[in-house]
Amino acid sequence: MPCSLEEATGLAFKFITSKTNDKSKMVELRKEVAEYDDFIQLNNEEEYSKLPYKTLAFFMEFHMAN
């Protein structure tokens, strides 16, 4: 039986996302996370104009964790 890419390489591939006020999108995201565990959610607002803040939030999150 073939193994997953994560099992074969030891690398985990995740999508980075932020929060949204759209409740239906958050419900769908929670379902996706429960099924595939393929998202990391940051504690900031998801919006195209705020991509630089999302990048900073990502680095701050992982810098603080280590």
Side-chain angles (χ1 to χ4, degrees):
M1 180 171 179
C3 60
S4 70
L5 183 61
E6 186 173 344
E7 292 168 335
T9 64
L11 300 173
F13 296 92
K14 306 281 183 175
F15 296 97
I16 308 299
T17 189
S18 302
K19 295 181 179 178
T20 179
N21 291 328
D22 185 328
K23 294 185 186 307
S24 65
K25 286 183 180 179
M26 290 305 297
V27 168
E28 290 301 315
L29 179 61
R30 286 189 197 101
K31 288 179 187 177
E32 172 87 13
V33 169
E35 187 171 346
Y36 299 106
D37 191 29
D38 58 353
F39 279 87
I40 297 172
Q41 187 174 29
L42 302 174
N43 192 23
N44 65 323
E45 187 180 351
E46 184 74 46
E47 188 176 313
Y48 183 77
S49 66
K50 296 182 179 179
L51 284 176
Y53 300 108
K54 183 177 177 180
T55 302
L56 288 172
F58 171 77
F59 285 114
M60 287 174 57
E61 179 89 18
F62 287 95
H63 175 72
M64 301 291 264
N66 293 318

